[in-house]
Amino acid sequence: MEAFCGSRFWDSNLSVHTDNPDLTPCFQNTILAWIPSIYLWSALPFYLLYLKHNKRGYIVLSMLSRFKTLFGVLLWCVSWADLFYSFHELLQNRTPPPVYFVTPLIVGITVLLATLLIQYERLRGVQSSGVLIIFWFLSVLCAVGPFRSKIMTTAGQVNERFRFTTFYIYFALIIVELILSCFKEKPPFFSPVNTDPNPCPELTSGFLSRLTFWWFTSMAILGYKRPLEDKDLWSLNEDDTSKVIVQQLSKEWDKEKCQGSRKTFARKPETVHKKHNRKPSFLKALLRTFGSYFLIGSFFKLIQDLLSFVNPQLLSALIGFIKNKDAPAWWGYVIAALMFICAVLQTLILHQHFQYCFVTGMRLRTGITGVIYRKSLVITNSAKRSSTVGEIVNLMSVDAQRFMDLMTFLNMLWSAPLQIFLALYFLWQTLGPSVLAGVAVMVLLIPFNSAIAMKTRAFQVEQMRYKDSRIKLMNEILGGIKVLKLYAWEPSFSEKVLEIRKNELRVLKKSAYLNSLSNFAWISAPFLVALTTFAVYVSVDEKNILDAEKAFVSLSLFNILKFPLSMLPQVISNIVQTSVSLKRIQQFLSHDELDPNSVETKAIAPGNAISVTNASFSWGKELKPSLKDINLLVPSGALVAVVGHVGCGKSSLVSALLGEMEKLEGEVAVKGSVAYVPQQAWIQNATLKDNILFGQAPNEQKYQNVLEACALKTDLEVLPGGDQTEIGEKGINLSGGQRQRVSLARAVYSNSDIYLLDDPLSAVDSHVAKHIFDKVIGPDGVLKGKTRILVTHGISFLPQVDHIVVLGDGKISEMGSYQDLLKQNKAFAEFLRNYALDEDIEEDEPTVLEEEEVLLAEDTLSIHTDLADNEPVTNEVRKHFLRELSVISSEGGECPNKMSTKRRICDKKPAEPPLPRKNLNEKLIQAETAETGRVKLTVFWQYMKAVGPVTSLVICFLYCCQNAAAIGANVWLSDWTNEPVINETQHNTTMRIGVYAALGLLQGLIVLISSFTLAMGGISAARSLHTALLENKFHTPQSFYDTTPTGRIINRFSKDIYVIDEVIPPTIVMFFGTFFSSLSTMIVIIASTPLFAVVIVPLAILYFFVQRFYVATSRQLKRLESVSRSPIYSHFSETVSGASVIRAYGRVKSFIDISDLKVDENQKSYYPGIISNRWLGIRVEFVGNCIVLFAALFAVIGKNSLNAGLVGLSVSYALQVTLSLNWMVRMTSELETNIVAVERIKEYSETETEAPWVIEGKSPPEDWPSKGELEFVNYSVRYRKGLDLVLKGLNLQVHGGEKIGIVGRTGAGKSSMTLCLFRILEAAKGEIKIDGVKIAEIGLHDLRSRLTIIPQDPVLFSGTLRMNLDPFNKYSDEEIWKALELSHLKRFVSSQPSMLDYECSEGGENLSVGQRQLVCLARALLRKTRILILDEATAAVDLETDDLIQMTIRTQFEDCTVLTIAHRLNTIMDYTRVLVLDNGTVAEFDTPANLIASKGIFYSMAKDAGLA
């Protein structure tokens, strides 16, 4: 080397052991000059490869670019000027050493390369180049040393003036280059035009900005100024959008599938049985799609892992420096600077790694969601049956989420073992074999922790069970709250909820015990490890001395070790869960798909629209065919009716024509576009208009015609927003008939060639059916001239169709026109004759569109029987008819109670009058207020009050003690390390170990107690908050439930209570933990180096600002993310249930686009959320790194007054602080986000309540009401403040035992009267007296429990039948059986194995509607009070049940006062008096005979019903 340089290469006296260090010229000219060149040349091949693949269009030559290039060329000239100078010296016969030729040559070429790179990057559209910034930075760094030494030598004499000059010019130029390269270029030209209104600044930001996530700052500031909204979010980067990702993933998955299937064909037959054909692996597809991107992140992780071991080594060097009293001061400063640089690098690299991981996770979720969505649109029906909609939605939500969560930690799989190995290696070097003792403790703690985790999981499952049952019960209670109020049953149900809640909290308490144990283990682990290691180390050999270096370096290494050891088990269990998810997803993606070519669409015999020849179909390859030997030719423009009994394959035939079934043999051809109306209407969650347009271009004229034809005009007037009304999921706010008509309107609007109508007329009542047939389907309808296939049960329409196809058991039994079939005189003719009766009635009916939609059968029957109830002959006919009907009208044939399923569809008109149209803007349902902005301190105070103020103080005190103990243990350790060494041994080691152990264990104990106290406090808070909420909700007046959606109240009981139970306490634990550990760090550093106090203030201010910006922004981003998440899933479940409709209309593509859009919308708020964490991390960790820097720096400054132990203590504390600072911000944010739950629950625990249930001293006598007299005195009432009066000044008297019928048009106030008697509505003025007692003056329960009502819609709760009849267990079994006998349920109940304990399902779904009505009757019979109110069921009950009820009431309640709200007049014709209400006032009140004679309102109503 000396020959090469002409001088010594390294001289430690000159460079190290001196107060004024310098490097030898040789070292400067070789190593320092070559470092940048080596870096650039080694990075070049990779960089060129990257540039080749990434082209963004080129950037126009700018001034910046010109200057960069100019200076680059100048640099090259300067370098080579040196080279030529060396040649010049050769000619002068002064032979310079070879280094003066080699170095300028290398430097010159490298600079030239850099200059060329600047231009190449410009052509590839790179706006800011990281590679070059690092190159210029290295060049400046390496030139600083020579620059300093050149200035130092200048003081002497200058022998090489030329080289000095060129070097100074070179130094100036590289600084200029570095500065210029930090600016970014303009965006590329010719890049695809960005139409984005709000593009993400990431792509166009410079290298440094991306490294520190500086580009996010604008959003952080915006989020701090005001709550973020959707429009503030940036668009997604191209590479993160569904379009790109799902396409890539689908491509890879298709490749996989092809390979899987190809291999099977390729093999020779004899080898097949040996090797199973390979299943296509979804994992491989994922790896191919996302693997390479993820590996970049893994690379960063590797560097970060290696860097994390540098700081303990530097700490050891620093302690060595402090001990060595005559070391030059600059050593200390270099160590401090290195610590800082190392920490900053670690921060930057770690967050790059996280960025790659999170983005991979995000893309995985997008990809998986998209692939599943696309698959769900093409799977066969048999595949769909194997998994429910809920399960498929779970694949998308839960399983895709698992992948996302795993990504963050996946690298721990290799990184954890690596870290553990390195840490053990360095520990072994420091302490030798005694390390194994410490490691043994760690390893023993792993099974302990995992056992706790297992147990906790078991508790979680149990608690989920309780939670689900509690929510289910709450759901039913809120659904039937009106009934509970009418029956005064609230206390019984409240007890049930509290019972479940008690169990739930019991489980919570158990898991809290466990949690505090695991907290104890987690906090004591590092301490126990250190204790055992040090104890073993000192005890093994007297010569083993524990000095500061050993103690604190090993402590910092143990801290590094803690993380991978605790993470490994978690990662492994995560991987296990994810592999289960992967299997499920793979299984779903491998399901069979529908064969798109099973239905031929091109070739077909001329003149025909549909032809089926010798075809058989089944619902799945393995099932037996549902349709056999079908031959069918439908001429274009024909109207074909398909009839047959239940389950004979009518719907299957339609599905077969759509290509939804497996075609086993034969040919099917369908020519032209298809519109399909399924039997159960499929309605999207969109506006009514969107449901009808279904993606077609709007055309107002055509649209109005369609509405008119489908009889939707009248419905639009009833709906609150006309055709802009938002229809809920599954069409929840439309009646069955309306849904069916919307579905039909969609078909009509689509203007297709072929219409497949699967029984569209069954759900609508007879008049509407007739209207629709005439206006739409029939020979003169809108669709005339189109090919129509109509599945129908309506016999009356058959004469008007062109062809009739009669199906029987999956075969076509006969075909032909109406007349032909009648002549053939086979089964069909027989079938028709039984229905002649139906025909006659049809004719007599006035075809008006009624408001109430009643089923064809009921409607016809009720009028028919009203006319002829006394003719024995017709009664026979009627029974026969009912029997026939139950066969015909049931739609699915699957339900045992066919009549009732059918009826459930029909409209239930609400009891309240519809709100007047005028206040459209004044919504019925108030929008929920979303919390924005900072959380008020009062909320924290409320929570503290719920926990108990004393408990809160105790908790804080305990945390202080715990940290005091921890600091004490470490101070003791530092004191121990300073113990003087005598004869190579330390004295009283046992005492030292004893005190250290005592302090450490004390800390652990206090942790145990404090986390335990906190958990108990949290549970008591949860208990009191829930009880208050429940209490209030049972006392809330009915009007609140009318204006608040149940979902919103349930949300309080589920989500918010969950947050208070399970989220807030652990968050507080974490918050306290991090807060106090940061605090103790500050205390320790200030105690050891008081100067540090100066720096704290600016650092704290910086920290505070970052924290406020972050919390405000991230909280709002979280909210936006959760709001935009649910639409993905609801849209998906909608799609799954409507897949056949979507396919029939050919809208698959656009639905995929909608889904992609929804996913992208969600990711748009998720992505900034990730970035905000990175942004925060880098800034907060920078504060932490500064703390490290200053702790080390002040230690160096105060070197003479400090001992090694204190420095070790303060710096090792500083090294840990970064993590707790980071988590502290996160926890603050979590706490602020979640504490809102307390506020929301408080808000609902303080809504206004109704009158007290029981008023002391005002209770009515035991036998009240004994006579049953009612009196209304000048009584008025309104539904809610601000609405009009519903009843206006009613005055009437009812004597005991009278039977009163109440009639009136819809909205006349009939139901309101009953609600007033029960004080569900409180009087606006006037009063009601019962037996002379003013009802407003007694407790609500006293009143309600003395009246009996049989409500309009029977509500049952899930539980036993006995509970539904007698929730308070007041009556004996005999009484209950007697009531059942009188209500005609005895036969049914005694036939059930469990008799009175027969379980009713939710809402009584497993009883027919008629049976439910009878259960309500049984309730009334059990109570048997003097006043019975009967709110007659509109149309939910078949006539037989209705007669039973009427009969029972006439016999059993003979001496009671009965008020009946009648819809069918025939039931009240024999009552004592009839009250006719009109618009809230008494219009007529007299005996029925007198009213008919007086020809008033009642007469006209009776005439309509055919009774007068």
Side-chain angles (χ1 to χ4, degrees), residues 932-986:
T932 49
R934 278 197 68 168
V935 180
K936 298 170 220 52
L937 283 174
T938 49
V939 183
F940 286 102
W941 172 236
Q942 277 172 346
Y943 187 70
M944 270 178 70
K945 274 195 301 201
V947 172
V950 183
T951 323
S952 309
L953 287 173
V954 170
I955 290 169
C956 289
F957 174 69
L958 282 171
Y959 266 99
C960 294
C961 296
Q962 165 200 329
N963 279 285
I967 294 176
N970 281 326
V971 170
W972 180 260
L973 182 68
S974 89
D975 192 54
W976 175 7
T977 57
N978 293 328
E979 176 115 348
V981 180
I982 304 162
N983 304 334
E984 299 186 8
T985 60
Q986 272 174 328

Side-chain angles (χ1 to χ4, degrees), residues 448-507:
F448 175 70
N449 273 332
S450 53
I452 286 185
M454 294 284 288
K455 198 79 188 111
T456 312
R457 191 161 299 154
F459 281 149
Q460 248 172 348
V461 172
E462 189 183 351
Q463 195 210 340
M464 284 300 285
R465 224 181 42 238
Y466 285 128
K467 194 171 101 185
D468 290 346
S469 58
R470 177 171 58 87
I471 300 304
K472 184 169 155 245
L473 181 60
M474 276 316 300
N475 218 345
E476 288 192 57
I477 288 175
L478 294 174
I481 188 83
K482 193 166 179 181
V483 172
L484 289 186
K485 285 186 182 304
L486 291 171
Y487 288 140
W489 277 2
E490 297 103 329
S492 152
F493 279 84
S494 158
E495 240 160 68
K496 283 171 88 177
V497 176
L498 290 173
E499 181 60 33
I500 298 178
R501 179 70 179 158
K502 201 172 76 192
N503 291 333
E504 191 183 356
L505 288 176
R506 202 187 62 234
V507 178

Side-chain angles (χ1 to χ4, degrees), residues 81 109 181 201 245 320 373 380 414 420 487 495 572 591 678 684 730 865 870 919 1204 1209 1218 1225 1295:
I109 292 177
S181 65
I245 293 171
Y373 187 87
T380 57
W414 57 265
I420 292 170
Y487 288 140
E495 240 160 68
I572 290 167
H591 276 323
Q684 270 182 284
K730 305 195 183 84
T865 45
N870 41 9
N919 48 2
L1209 179 69
T1218 330
V1225 178
H1295 307 299

Side-chain angles (χ1 to χ4, degrees), residues 162-179:
F162 183 76
R163 285 208 175 88
F164 266 53
T165 319
T166 53
F167 178 78
Y168 287 140
I169 296 173
Y170 167 80
F171 190 63
L173 286 173
I174 54 177
I175 286 182
V176 171
E177 278 287 16
L178 176 61
I179 293 168

Side-chain angles (χ1 to χ4, degrees), residues 80-208:
W80 279 22
D82 267 0
L83 181 65
F84 292 132
Y85 182 68
S86 301
F87 280 121
H88 168 70
E89 281 191 316
L90 256 183
L91 299 175
Q92 304 273 310
N93 290 331
R94 281 182 306 206
T95 312
V99 69
Y100 287 115
F101 293 99
V102 178
T103 301
L105 182 67
I106 292 177
V107 172
I109 292 177
T110 310
V111 180
L112 192 61
L113 170 72
T115 314
L116 293 173
L117 257 183
I118 292 173
Q119 287 309 314
Y120 184 59
E121 284 176 342
R122 180 176 72 77
L123 295 176
R124 305 302 287 181
V126 176
Q127 286 178 267
S128 168
S129 154
V131 173
L132 284 180
I133 288 182
I134 295 173
F135 168 72
W136 296 123
F137 179 67
L138 278 177
S139 303
V140 171
L141 208 61
C142 293
V144 169
F147 182 65
R148 175 172 169 273
S149 65
K150 286 208 169 35
I151 289 177
M152 273 161 52
T153 49
T154 320
Q157 82 299 350
V158 180
N159 51 1
E160 296 188 338
R161 195 162 290 145
F162 183 76
R163 285 208 175 88
F164 266 53
T165 319
T166 53
F167 178 78
Y168 287 140
I169 296 173
Y170 167 80
F171 190 63
L173 286 173
I174 54 177
I175 286 182
V176 171
E177 278 287 16
L178 176 61
I179 293 168
L180 285 180
S181 65
C182 290
F183 291 103
K184 60 171 193 198
E185 292 279 359
K186 289 197 190 67
F189 206 53
F190 291 143
S191 60
V193 176
N194 218 349
T195 48
D196 253 341
N198 197 359
C200 183
E202 181 184 13
L203 284 177
T204 54
S205 55
F207 170 73
L208 292 176

Side-chain angles (χ1 to χ4, degrees), residues 477 480-495 1034-1035 1038 1250-1254 1317-1320 1339-1349 1351 1357 1363-1371 1419 1423 1425:
I477 288 175
I481 188 83
K482 193 166 179 181
V483 172
L484 289 186
K485 285 186 182 304
L486 291 171
Y487 288 140
W489 277 2
E490 297 103 329
S492 152
F493 279 84
S494 158
E495 240 160 68
F1034 273 125
H1035 280 281
Q1038 181 66 34
E1250 53 188 3
W1253 284 346
V1254 177
L1317 280 174
F1318 285 89
R1319 282 178 62 199
I1320 298 284
L1340 288 181
H1341 277 190
D1342 287 336
L1343 166 68
R1344 291 171 183 172
S1345 59
R1346 309 293 176 86
L1347 305 175
T1348 310
I1349 184 166
F1357 299 95
M1363 187 226 70
N1364 267 301
L1365 293 170
D1366 170 27
F1368 292 104
N1369 286 331
K1370 281 202 299 212
Y1371 303 102
R1419 283 177 189 162
R1423 269 197 150 160
T1425 56

